[in-house]
Amino acid sequence: MNRELDIDQTELVGAWQERLPQVLNVGDQAHVMADEADQQAIRIHIATAGHEMYSFDFKCAYVDSREVSVQLIDVERDGRTTDERTEPIQELAHDYTRHIHECAQSLQSQTR
């Protein structure tokens, strides 16, 4: 059964902004914003800890109240767009995607 997401986007952003840093690696920083074009989605900006200075932008769209689709939008290194096909970046993106899914799981009680 496909269940629609029944939560205000502002509330959703607030819940994600509060929870996501708890599932990320220590020192990573996350900023969650509403997706202006899609009421069922949020935008996530993650800045990595350490000297690499990578930042990742993801779109996280709710397929239904329990499942999210995560799409990598952009990767920057020290403020400049970088090749996201390299192995280290792919590994980081995969890791962050897993953390985003983990966060969505932990917020299920609020998105039902």
Side-chain angles (χ1 to χ4, degrees):
M1 181 166 102
N2 195 5
R3 301 187 330 203
E4 287 291 313
L5 184 63
D6 188 26
I7 185 172
D8 178 73
Q9 192 179 36
T10 304
E11 289 178 40
L12 189 65
V13 166
W16 273 83
Q17 186 64 51
E18 184 178 310
R19 178 70 182 124
L20 186 58
Q22 298 171 16
V23 301
L24 291 177
N25 302 321
V26 174
D28 288 348
Q29 296 182 338
H31 183 68
V32 182
M33 301 148 283
D35 186 314
E36 302 292 326
D38 185 352
Q39 289 294 308
Q40 301 288 309
I42 56 175
R43 296 288 179 141
I44 300 170
H45 177 83
I46 299 173
T48 62
H51 64 277
E52 295 294 334
M53 305 213 27
Y54 285 119
S55 65
F56 293 78
D57 291 312
F58 293 92
K59 177 179 179 174
C60 178
Y62 275 83
V63 177
D64 61 28
S65 63
R66 294 173 300 187
E67 184 182 350
V68 294
S69 167
V70 180
Q71 177 184 6
L72 177 62
I73 303 298
D74 187 37
V75 180
E76 292 184 353
R77 182 174 187 178
D78 203 16
R80 291 185 296 278
T81 299
T82 189
D83 184 359
E84 55 202 52
R85 296 170 296 192
T86 66
E87 191 170 327
I89 292 177
Q90 285 295 309
E91 287 176 14
L92 280 168
H94 179 73
D95 192 40
Y96 287 130
T97 299
R98 190 174 46 78
H99 288 309
I100 291 168
H101 280 285
E102 185 181 329
C103 186
Q105 289 284 319
S106 72
L107 293 173
Q108 275 189 5
S109 63
Q110 297 176 35
T111 58
R112 289 180 183 239

Short mmCIF file of all heavy atoms in Angstrom, two decimals, residues 42-105:
data_model
loop_
_atom_site.label_atom_id
_atom_site.label_comp_id
_atom_site.label_asym_id
_atom_site.label_seq_id
_atom_site.Cartn_x
_atom_site.Cartn_y
_atom_site.Cartn_z
N ILE A 42 13.24 17.17 0.46
CA ILE A 42 14.10 18.12 1.15
C ILE A 42 15.46 18.12 0.45
O ILE A 42 15.79 17.18 -0.27
CB ILE A 42 14.27 17.76 2.64
CG1 ILE A 42 14.79 16.32 2.81
CG2 ILE A 42 12.97 17.98 3.40
CD1 ILE A 42 15.10 15.92 4.24
N ARG A 43 16.21 19.17 0.68
CA ARG A 43 17.58 19.26 0.17
C ARG A 43 18.53 19.17 1.37
O ARG A 43 18.28 19.78 2.40
CB ARG A 43 17.82 20.59 -0.56
CG ARG A 43 16.96 20.75 -1.81
CD ARG A 43 17.47 19.84 -2.90
NE ARG A 43 16.67 19.96 -4.11
CZ ARG A 43 17.17 19.94 -5.32
NH1 ARG A 43 18.48 19.80 -5.51
NH2 ARG A 43 16.39 20.02 -6.36
N ILE A 44 19.60 18.41 1.21
CA ILE A 44 20.54 18.20 2.29
C ILE A 44 21.94 18.58 1.82
O ILE A 44 22.40 18.10 0.78
CB ILE A 44 20.53 16.73 2.75
CG1 ILE A 44 19.13 16.34 3.24
CG2 ILE A 44 21.58 16.49 3.82
CD1 ILE A 44 18.96 14.85 3.48
N HIS A 45 22.58 19.46 2.58
CA HIS A 45 23.96 19.87 2.30
C HIS A 45 24.81 19.34 3.43
O HIS A 45 24.55 19.62 4.60
CB HIS A 45 24.05 21.40 2.23
CG HIS A 45 25.43 21.91 2.02
ND1 HIS A 45 26.01 21.98 0.77
CD2 HIS A 45 26.36 22.35 2.89
CE1 HIS A 45 27.24 22.46 0.89
NE2 HIS A 45 27.48 22.69 2.17
N ILE A 46 25.83 18.54 3.10
CA ILE A 46 26.72 17.97 4.11
C ILE A 46 28.14 18.42 3.82
O ILE A 46 28.65 18.24 2.71
CB ILE A 46 26.65 16.43 4.11
CG1 ILE A 46 25.23 15.95 4.44
CG2 ILE A 46 27.66 15.86 5.12
CD1 ILE A 46 25.03 14.45 4.29
N ALA A 47 28.76 19.01 4.83
CA ALA A 47 30.17 19.41 4.74
C ALA A 47 30.98 18.41 5.56
O ALA A 47 30.69 18.19 6.73
CB ALA A 47 30.35 20.83 5.28
N THR A 48 31.96 17.81 4.92
CA THR A 48 32.75 16.78 5.60
C THR A 48 33.71 17.39 6.60
O THR A 48 34.17 18.51 6.43
CB THR A 48 33.57 15.94 4.60
OG1 THR A 48 34.49 16.79 3.92
CG2 THR A 48 32.69 15.24 3.60
N ALA A 49 34.00 16.61 7.61
CA ALA A 49 34.99 17.01 8.61
C ALA A 49 36.38 16.78 8.02
O ALA A 49 36.55 15.99 7.09
CB ALA A 49 34.81 16.18 9.88
N GLY A 50 37.36 17.46 8.54
CA GLY A 50 38.73 17.18 8.12
C GLY A 50 39.23 18.11 7.04
O GLY A 50 38.56 19.04 6.62
N HIS A 51 40.43 17.80 6.57
CA HIS A 51 41.14 18.69 5.65
C HIS A 51 40.69 18.58 4.20
O HIS A 51 41.08 19.39 3.37
CB HIS A 51 42.64 18.43 5.75
CG HIS A 51 43.03 17.04 5.32
ND1 HIS A 51 42.94 15.96 6.16
CD2 HIS A 51 43.48 16.58 4.13
CE1 HIS A 51 43.33 14.88 5.50
NE2 HIS A 51 43.66 15.23 4.28
N GLU A 52 39.88 17.58 3.86
CA GLU A 52 39.46 17.41 2.46
C GLU A 52 38.55 18.54 1.97
O GLU A 52 38.54 18.86 0.80
CB GLU A 52 38.73 16.06 2.29
CG GLU A 52 39.61 14.86 2.53
CD GLU A 52 40.72 14.71 1.50
OE1 GLU A 52 40.57 15.19 0.38
OE2 GLU A 52 41.74 14.11 1.84
N MET A 53 37.74 19.11 2.89
CA MET A 53 36.85 20.22 2.56
C MET A 53 35.86 19.90 1.44
O MET A 53 35.61 20.70 0.57
CB MET A 53 37.65 21.48 2.24
CG MET A 53 38.59 21.82 3.37
SD MET A 53 38.96 23.52 3.73
CE MET A 53 37.63 24.48 3.21
N TYR A 54 35.32 18.68 1.47
CA TYR A 54 34.28 18.30 0.51
C TYR A 54 32.92 18.75 1.04
O TYR A 54 32.69 18.77 2.25
CB TYR A 54 34.22 16.78 0.34
CG TYR A 54 35.34 16.21 -0.49
CD1 TYR A 54 36.22 15.29 0.06
CD2 TYR A 54 35.49 16.55 -1.83
CE1 TYR A 54 37.25 14.74 -0.69
CE2 TYR A 54 36.52 16.01 -2.59
CZ TYR A 54 37.38 15.11 -2.02
OH TYR A 54 38.39 14.56 -2.77
N SER A 55 32.03 19.06 0.13
CA SER A 55 30.63 19.26 0.50
C SER A 55 29.76 18.55 -0.53
O SER A 55 30.08 18.52 -1.72
CB SER A 55 30.28 20.75 0.59
OG SER A 55 30.39 21.37 -0.66
N PHE A 56 28.69 17.97 -0.04
CA PHE A 56 27.78 17.16 -0.85
C PHE A 56 26.38 17.75 -0.77
O PHE A 56 25.94 18.14 0.31
CB PHE A 56 27.73 15.72 -0.33
CG PHE A 56 29.02 14.96 -0.50
CD1 PHE A 56 30.09 15.17 0.35
CD2 PHE A 56 29.16 14.04 -1.52
CE1 PHE A 56 31.28 14.47 0.20
CE2 PHE A 56 30.35 13.34 -1.69
CZ PHE A 56 31.40 13.56 -0.82
N ASP A 57 25.69 17.80 -1.91
CA ASP A 57 24.30 18.21 -1.95
C ASP A 57 23.46 17.05 -2.44
O ASP A 57 23.74 16.47 -3.49
CB ASP A 57 24.11 19.42 -2.87
CG ASP A 57 24.77 20.67 -2.30
OD1 ASP A 57 24.55 20.95 -1.10
OD2 ASP A 57 25.50 21.35 -3.03
N PHE A 58 22.44 16.72 -1.64
CA PHE A 58 21.54 15.63 -1.97
C PHE A 58 20.11 16.13 -2.04
O PHE A 58 19.73 17.08 -1.34
CB PHE A 58 21.57 14.55 -0.87
CG PHE A 58 22.87 13.82 -0.74
CD1 PHE A 58 23.85 14.26 0.14
CD2 PHE A 58 23.13 12.68 -1.50
CE1 PHE A 58 25.05 13.59 0.27
CE2 PHE A 58 24.34 12.01 -1.37
CZ PHE A 58 25.30 12.46 -0.49
N LYS A 59 19.31 15.45 -2.86
CA LYS A 59 17.86 15.62 -2.84
C LYS A 59 17.31 14.34 -2.22
O LYS A 59 17.67 13.24 -2.64
CB LYS A 59 17.29 15.81 -4.23
CG LYS A 59 15.76 15.91 -4.22
CD LYS A 59 15.18 16.13 -5.60
CE LYS A 59 13.66 16.20 -5.51
NZ LYS A 59 13.06 16.55 -6.81
N CYS A 60 16.49 14.51 -1.22
CA CYS A 60 15.88 13.37 -0.54
C CYS A 60 14.37 13.50 -0.71
O CYS A 60 13.76 14.40 -0.13
CB CYS A 60 16.28 13.38 0.94
SG CYS A 60 15.53 12.05 1.89
N ALA A 61 13.79 12.65 -1.53
CA ALA A 61 12.36 12.72 -1.83
C ALA A 61 11.64 11.55 -1.20
O ALA A 61 12.11 10.40 -1.27
CB ALA A 61 12.13 12.72 -3.33
N TYR A 62 10.52 11.83 -0.59
CA TYR A 62 9.71 10.76 0.00
C TYR A 62 8.90 10.08 -1.10
O TYR A 62 8.11 10.71 -1.78
CB TYR A 62 8.79 11.31 1.09
CG TYR A 62 9.49 11.40 2.42
CD1 TYR A 62 10.30 12.49 2.73
CD2 TYR A 62 9.37 10.38 3.35
CE1 TYR A 62 10.96 12.56 3.94
CE2 TYR A 62 10.03 10.44 4.57
CZ TYR A 62 10.82 11.52 4.86
OH TYR A 62 11.49 11.58 6.06
N VAL A 63 9.14 8.78 -1.26
CA VAL A 63 8.37 7.97 -2.20
C VAL A 63 7.00 7.71 -1.58
O VAL A 63 5.97 7.79 -2.24
CB VAL A 63 9.10 6.64 -2.49
CG1 VAL A 63 8.27 5.76 -3.41
CG2 VAL A 63 10.47 6.90 -3.09
N ASP A 64 6.99 7.40 -0.30
CA ASP A 64 5.78 7.32 0.50
C ASP A 64 6.19 7.62 1.94
O ASP A 64 7.30 8.09 2.17
CB ASP A 64 5.06 5.96 0.36
CG ASP A 64 5.91 4.78 0.79
OD1 ASP A 64 6.79 4.95 1.67
OD2 ASP A 64 5.70 3.68 0.26
N SER A 65 5.33 7.36 2.90
CA SER A 65 5.63 7.76 4.28
C SER A 65 6.78 6.98 4.91
O SER A 65 7.29 7.35 5.95
CB SER A 65 4.38 7.62 5.14
OG SER A 65 3.98 6.26 5.18
N ARG A 66 7.20 5.89 4.25
CA ARG A 66 8.26 5.07 4.84
C ARG A 66 9.53 5.00 4.01
O ARG A 66 10.57 4.57 4.49
CB ARG A 66 7.74 3.65 5.05
CG ARG A 66 6.64 3.57 6.08
CD ARG A 66 6.07 2.20 6.12
NE ARG A 66 5.53 1.89 4.80
CZ ARG A 66 4.84 0.80 4.52
NH1 ARG A 66 4.64 -0.09 5.44
NH2 ARG A 66 4.36 0.60 3.33
N GLU A 67 9.49 5.39 2.77
CA GLU A 67 10.63 5.19 1.87
C GLU A 67 11.08 6.50 1.24
O GLU A 67 10.26 7.30 0.80
CB GLU A 67 10.24 4.20 0.76
CG GLU A 67 11.39 3.85 -0.15
CD GLU A 67 10.98 2.91 -1.28
OE1 GLU A 67 9.86 2.38 -1.26
OE2 GLU A 67 11.80 2.72 -2.17
N VAL A 68 12.41 6.69 1.20
CA VAL A 68 12.97 7.88 0.55
C VAL A 68 13.84 7.48 -0.63
O VAL A 68 14.43 6.40 -0.65
CB VAL A 68 13.80 8.75 1.53
CG1 VAL A 68 12.92 9.37 2.60
CG2 VAL A 68 14.96 7.99 2.13
N SER A 69 13.89 8.37 -1.58
CA SER A 69 14.78 8.23 -2.73
C SER A 69 15.85 9.32 -2.58
O SER A 69 15.51 10.49 -2.43
CB SER A 69 13.99 8.43 -4.01
OG SER A 69 14.86 8.59 -5.10
N VAL A 70 17.11 8.92 -2.60
CA VAL A 70 18.21 9.87 -2.38
C VAL A 70 18.99 10.04 -3.68
O VAL A 70 19.40 9.06 -4.29
CB VAL A 70 19.13 9.38 -1.24
CG1 VAL A 70 20.27 10.37 -1.03
CG2 VAL A 70 18.35 9.17 0.04
N GLN A 71 19.18 11.29 -4.07
CA GLN A 71 19.90 11.58 -5.32
C GLN A 71 21.03 12.57 -5.01
O GLN A 71 20.81 13.62 -4.41
CB GLN A 71 18.91 12.20 -6.31
CG GLN A 71 19.53 12.62 -7.61
CD GLN A 71 18.51 13.31 -8.52
OE1 GLN A 71 17.38 13.56 -8.14
NE2 GLN A 71 18.95 13.61 -9.71
N LEU A 72 22.24 12.22 -5.43
CA LEU A 72 23.38 13.12 -5.29
C LEU A 72 23.26 14.20 -6.37
O LEU A 72 23.16 13.91 -7.55
CB LEU A 72 24.70 12.35 -5.46
CG LEU A 72 25.98 13.17 -5.40
CD1 LEU A 72 26.14 13.85 -4.05
CD2 LEU A 72 27.18 12.30 -5.72
N ILE A 73 23.26 15.46 -5.94
CA ILE A 73 23.09 16.58 -6.87
C ILE A 73 24.44 17.18 -7.26
O ILE A 73 24.70 17.45 -8.42
CB ILE A 73 22.20 17.68 -6.25
CG1 ILE A 73 20.83 17.11 -5.86
CG2 ILE A 73 22.05 18.86 -7.19
CD1 ILE A 73 20.00 16.56 -7.00
N ASP A 74 25.31 17.39 -6.26
CA ASP A 74 26.57 18.08 -6.54
C ASP A 74 27.60 17.74 -5.47
O ASP A 74 27.24 17.47 -4.32
CB ASP A 74 26.34 19.60 -6.55
CG ASP A 74 27.56 20.38 -7.01
OD1 ASP A 74 28.27 19.90 -7.91
OD2 ASP A 74 27.81 21.47 -6.47
N VAL A 75 28.87 17.75 -5.86
CA VAL A 75 29.97 17.59 -4.92
C VAL A 75 30.95 18.72 -5.18
O VAL A 75 31.30 18.99 -6.33
CB VAL A 75 30.70 16.24 -5.10
CG1 VAL A 75 31.85 16.13 -4.10
CG2 VAL A 75 29.76 15.07 -4.96
N GLU A 76 31.37 19.38 -4.12
CA GLU A 76 32.38 20.44 -4.25
C GLU A 76 33.54 20.14 -3.31
O GLU A 76 33.37 19.50 -2.28
CB GLU A 76 31.78 21.80 -3.89
CG GLU A 76 30.76 22.27 -4.90
CD GLU A 76 30.24 23.66 -4.59
OE1 GLU A 76 30.58 24.22 -3.52
OE2 GLU A 76 29.50 24.20 -5.42
N ARG A 77 34.72 20.60 -3.72
CA ARG A 77 35.89 20.51 -2.86
C ARG A 77 36.45 21.91 -2.73
O ARG A 77 36.78 22.55 -3.73
CB ARG A 77 36.94 19.58 -3.47
CG ARG A 77 38.16 19.45 -2.57
CD ARG A 77 39.11 18.42 -3.10
NE ARG A 77 40.17 18.22 -2.11
CZ ARG A 77 41.13 17.34 -2.27
NH1 ARG A 77 41.16 16.59 -3.35
NH2 ARG A 77 42.06 17.21 -1.35
N ASP A 78 36.50 22.38 -1.50
CA ASP A 78 36.99 23.72 -1.22
C ASP A 78 36.25 24.78 -2.05
O ASP A 78 36.85 25.70 -2.58
CB ASP A 78 38.50 23.78 -1.48
CG ASP A 78 39.18 24.90 -0.71
OD1 ASP A 78 38.57 25.43 0.24
OD2 ASP A 78 40.33 25.24 -1.06
N GLY A 79 34.92 24.59 -2.17
CA GLY A 79 34.08 25.58 -2.85
C GLY A 79 34.00 25.46 -4.36
O GLY A 79 33.33 26.25 -5.00
N ARG A 80 34.69 24.48 -4.95
CA ARG A 80 34.67 24.32 -6.42
C ARG A 80 34.12 22.95 -6.78
O ARG A 80 34.44 21.95 -6.13
CB ARG A 80 36.08 24.47 -7.00
CG ARG A 80 36.63 25.89 -6.90
CD ARG A 80 37.96 26.02 -7.61
NE ARG A 80 39.01 25.21 -7.01
CZ ARG A 80 39.73 25.56 -5.94
NH1 ARG A 80 39.49 26.69 -5.33
NH2 ARG A 80 40.67 24.77 -5.48
N THR A 81 33.31 22.91 -7.82
CA THR A 81 32.76 21.64 -8.29
C THR A 81 33.90 20.69 -8.62
O THR A 81 34.91 21.09 -9.19
CB THR A 81 31.87 21.86 -9.54
OG1 THR A 81 30.78 22.71 -9.15
CG2 THR A 81 31.30 20.55 -10.05
N THR A 82 33.72 19.42 -8.24
CA THR A 82 34.78 18.43 -8.44
C THR A 82 34.18 17.19 -9.10
O THR A 82 32.97 17.01 -9.13
CB THR A 82 35.46 18.08 -7.10
OG1 THR A 82 36.61 17.28 -7.37
CG2 THR A 82 34.54 17.34 -6.17
N ASP A 83 35.04 16.35 -9.63
CA ASP A 83 34.62 15.12 -10.31
C ASP A 83 34.06 14.15 -9.27
O ASP A 83 34.78 13.68 -8.41
CB ASP A 83 35.81 14.50 -11.05
CG ASP A 83 35.42 13.28 -11.85
OD1 ASP A 83 34.23 12.89 -11.85
OD2 ASP A 83 36.31 12.70 -12.49
N GLU A 84 32.77 13.87 -9.37
CA GLU A 84 32.14 12.99 -8.38
C GLU A 84 32.30 11.51 -8.71
O GLU A 84 31.80 10.67 -7.99
CB GLU A 84 30.67 13.37 -8.20
CG GLU A 84 29.89 13.37 -9.49
CD GLU A 84 28.64 14.23 -9.39
OE1 GLU A 84 28.73 15.40 -8.99
OE2 GLU A 84 27.57 13.71 -9.73
N ARG A 85 33.00 11.19 -9.79
CA ARG A 85 33.15 9.78 -10.18
C ARG A 85 34.37 9.12 -9.56
O ARG A 85 34.57 7.93 -9.73
CB ARG A 85 33.23 9.68 -11.71
CG ARG A 85 31.93 10.13 -12.39
CD ARG A 85 32.13 10.25 -13.86
NE ARG A 85 33.12 11.31 -14.10
CZ ARG A 85 33.39 11.85 -15.26
NH1 ARG A 85 32.77 11.42 -16.32
NH2 ARG A 85 34.28 12.79 -15.39
N THR A 86 35.20 9.88 -8.85
CA THR A 86 36.38 9.27 -8.24
C THR A 86 35.97 8.34 -7.09
O THR A 86 34.94 8.56 -6.45
CB THR A 86 37.37 10.33 -7.72
OG1 THR A 86 36.75 11.04 -6.65
CG2 THR A 86 37.80 11.28 -8.82
N GLU A 87 36.78 7.34 -6.85
CA GLU A 87 36.45 6.34 -5.84
C GLU A 87 36.25 6.92 -4.44
O GLU A 87 35.27 6.59 -3.77
CB GLU A 87 37.49 5.22 -5.82
CG GLU A 87 37.04 4.05 -4.97
CD GLU A 87 37.95 2.84 -5.13
OE1 GLU A 87 38.49 2.63 -6.22
OE2 GLU A 87 38.10 2.13 -4.14
N PRO A 88 37.14 7.81 -3.96
CA PRO A 88 36.92 8.36 -2.61
C PRO A 88 35.59 9.12 -2.49
O PRO A 88 34.89 9.00 -1.49
CB PRO A 88 38.10 9.31 -2.39
CG PRO A 88 39.13 8.90 -3.38
CD PRO A 88 38.39 8.29 -4.54
N ILE A 89 35.24 9.87 -3.52
CA ILE A 89 33.99 10.63 -3.48
C ILE A 89 32.80 9.68 -3.57
O ILE A 89 31.80 9.85 -2.87
CB ILE A 89 33.95 11.69 -4.60
CG1 ILE A 89 34.99 12.77 -4.27
CG2 ILE A 89 32.56 12.29 -4.74
CD1 ILE A 89 35.13 13.84 -5.31
N GLN A 90 32.89 8.66 -4.42
CA GLN A 90 31.82 7.66 -4.51
C GLN A 90 31.60 6.97 -3.16
O GLN A 90 30.47 6.74 -2.75
CB GLN A 90 32.13 6.62 -5.59
CG GLN A 90 31.93 7.14 -7.00
CD GLN A 90 30.49 7.47 -7.29
OE1 GLN A 90 29.60 6.67 -7.06
NE2 GLN A 90 30.25 8.68 -7.78
N GLU A 91 32.70 6.65 -2.47
CA GLU A 91 32.59 6.00 -1.16
C GLU A 91 31.93 6.92 -0.15
O GLU A 91 31.07 6.50 0.61
CB GLU A 91 33.97 5.56 -0.66
CG GLU A 91 34.52 4.37 -1.40
CD GLU A 91 35.94 4.00 -0.95
OE1 GLU A 91 36.39 4.50 0.10
OE2 GLU A 91 36.57 3.21 -1.66
N LEU A 92 32.33 8.19 -0.14
CA LEU A 92 31.73 9.16 0.77
C LEU A 92 30.24 9.35 0.45
O LEU A 92 29.40 9.37 1.35
CB LEU A 92 32.44 10.51 0.69
CG LEU A 92 33.74 10.64 1.46
CD1 LEU A 92 34.47 11.93 1.06
CD2 LEU A 92 33.49 10.62 2.95
N ALA A 93 29.91 9.48 -0.84
CA ALA A 93 28.52 9.67 -1.25
C ALA A 93 27.67 8.46 -0.83
O ALA A 93 26.55 8.62 -0.35
CB ALA A 93 28.43 9.90 -2.75
N HIS A 94 28.22 7.27 -1.01
CA HIS A 94 27.51 6.05 -0.61
C HIS A 94 27.29 6.04 0.91
O HIS A 94 26.20 5.71 1.39
CB HIS A 94 28.30 4.81 -1.06
CG HIS A 94 27.67 3.53 -0.66
ND1 HIS A 94 26.53 3.04 -1.28
CD2 HIS A 94 27.99 2.63 0.30
CE1 HIS A 94 26.19 1.90 -0.70
NE2 HIS A 94 27.05 1.63 0.26
N ASP A 95 28.32 6.43 1.65
CA ASP A 95 28.23 6.48 3.11
C ASP A 95 27.16 7.48 3.54
O ASP A 95 26.32 7.19 4.40
CB ASP A 95 29.60 6.87 3.68
CG ASP A 95 29.69 6.66 5.18
OD1 ASP A 95 29.17 5.64 5.68
OD2 ASP A 95 30.30 7.51 5.85
N TYR A 96 27.15 8.67 2.94
CA TYR A 96 26.15 9.68 3.29
C TYR A 96 24.75 9.24 2.89
O TYR A 96 23.79 9.51 3.61
CB TYR A 96 26.50 11.04 2.68
CG TYR A 96 27.67 11.70 3.37
CD1 TYR A 96 28.74 12.20 2.65
CD2 TYR A 96 27.72 11.80 4.77
CE1 TYR A 96 29.82 12.79 3.29
CE2 TYR A 96 28.79 12.39 5.41
CZ TYR A 96 29.84 12.88 4.66
OH TYR A 96 30.91 13.47 5.30
N THR A 97 24.63 8.58 1.75
CA THR A 97 23.32 8.07 1.34
C THR A 97 22.79 7.08 2.38
O THR A 97 21.61 7.13 2.75
CB THR A 97 23.41 7.40 -0.06
OG1 THR A 97 23.85 8.39 -1.00
CG2 THR A 97 22.08 6.83 -0.49
N ARG A 98 23.67 6.23 2.87
CA ARG A 98 23.28 5.27 3.91
C ARG A 98 22.83 6.02 5.18
O ARG A 98 21.82 5.68 5.79
CB ARG A 98 24.46 4.34 4.21
CG ARG A 98 24.13 3.18 5.10
CD ARG A 98 25.32 2.21 5.24
NE ARG A 98 26.59 2.86 5.51
CZ ARG A 98 26.96 3.32 6.70
NH1 ARG A 98 26.15 3.22 7.73
NH2 ARG A 98 28.15 3.88 6.86
N HIS A 99 23.57 7.06 5.57
CA HIS A 99 23.20 7.85 6.74
C HIS A 99 21.84 8.54 6.54
O HIS A 99 21.05 8.64 7.48
CB HIS A 99 24.26 8.92 7.04
CG HIS A 99 25.53 8.37 7.60
ND1 HIS A 99 25.58 7.50 8.68
CD2 HIS A 99 26.82 8.57 7.25
CE1 HIS A 99 26.83 7.21 8.95
NE2 HIS A 99 27.62 7.84 8.09
N ILE A 100 21.58 9.02 5.33
CA ILE A 100 20.30 9.68 5.03
C ILE A 100 19.16 8.67 5.17
O ILE A 100 18.12 8.97 5.77
CB ILE A 100 20.33 10.35 3.65
CG1 ILE A 100 21.30 11.55 3.68
CG2 ILE A 100 18.94 10.77 3.20
CD1 ILE A 100 21.64 12.12 2.32
N HIS A 101 19.35 7.47 4.64
CA HIS A 101 18.32 6.42 4.79
C HIS A 101 18.13 6.08 6.27
O HIS A 101 16.99 5.87 6.71
CB HIS A 101 18.69 5.18 3.98
CG HIS A 101 18.38 5.30 2.53
ND1 HIS A 101 17.11 5.22 2.02
CD2 HIS A 101 19.19 5.51 1.46
CE1 HIS A 101 17.13 5.37 0.72
NE2 HIS A 101 18.40 5.55 0.34
N GLU A 102 19.23 6.01 7.00
CA GLU A 102 19.16 5.72 8.44
C GLU A 102 18.36 6.80 9.17
O GLU A 102 17.53 6.51 10.03
CB GLU A 102 20.59 5.64 8.99
CG GLU A 102 20.71 5.24 10.43
CD GLU A 102 22.17 5.21 10.89
OE1 GLU A 102 23.08 4.93 10.06
OE2 GLU A 102 22.40 5.50 12.07
N CYS A 103 18.58 8.04 8.80
CA CYS A 103 17.85 9.15 9.41
C CYS A 103 16.36 9.06 9.08
O CYS A 103 15.51 9.24 9.94
CB CYS A 103 18.43 10.48 8.93
SG CYS A 103 17.72 11.92 9.77
N ALA A 104 16.05 8.75 7.82
CA ALA A 104 14.65 8.60 7.41
C ALA A 104 13.96 7.51 8.23
O ALA A 104 12.81 7.67 8.67
CB ALA A 104 14.55 8.29 5.92
N GLN A 105 14.67 6.38 8.45
CA GLN A 105 14.13 5.30 9.26
C GLN A 105 13.82 5.79 10.67
O GLN A 105 12.78 5.47 11.23
CB GLN A 105 15.14 4.14 9.34
CG GLN A 105 15.31 3.38 8.06
CD GLN A 105 14.15 2.45 7.80
OE1 GLN A 105 13.65 1.81 8.70
NE2 GLN A 105 13.71 2.41 6.56
#
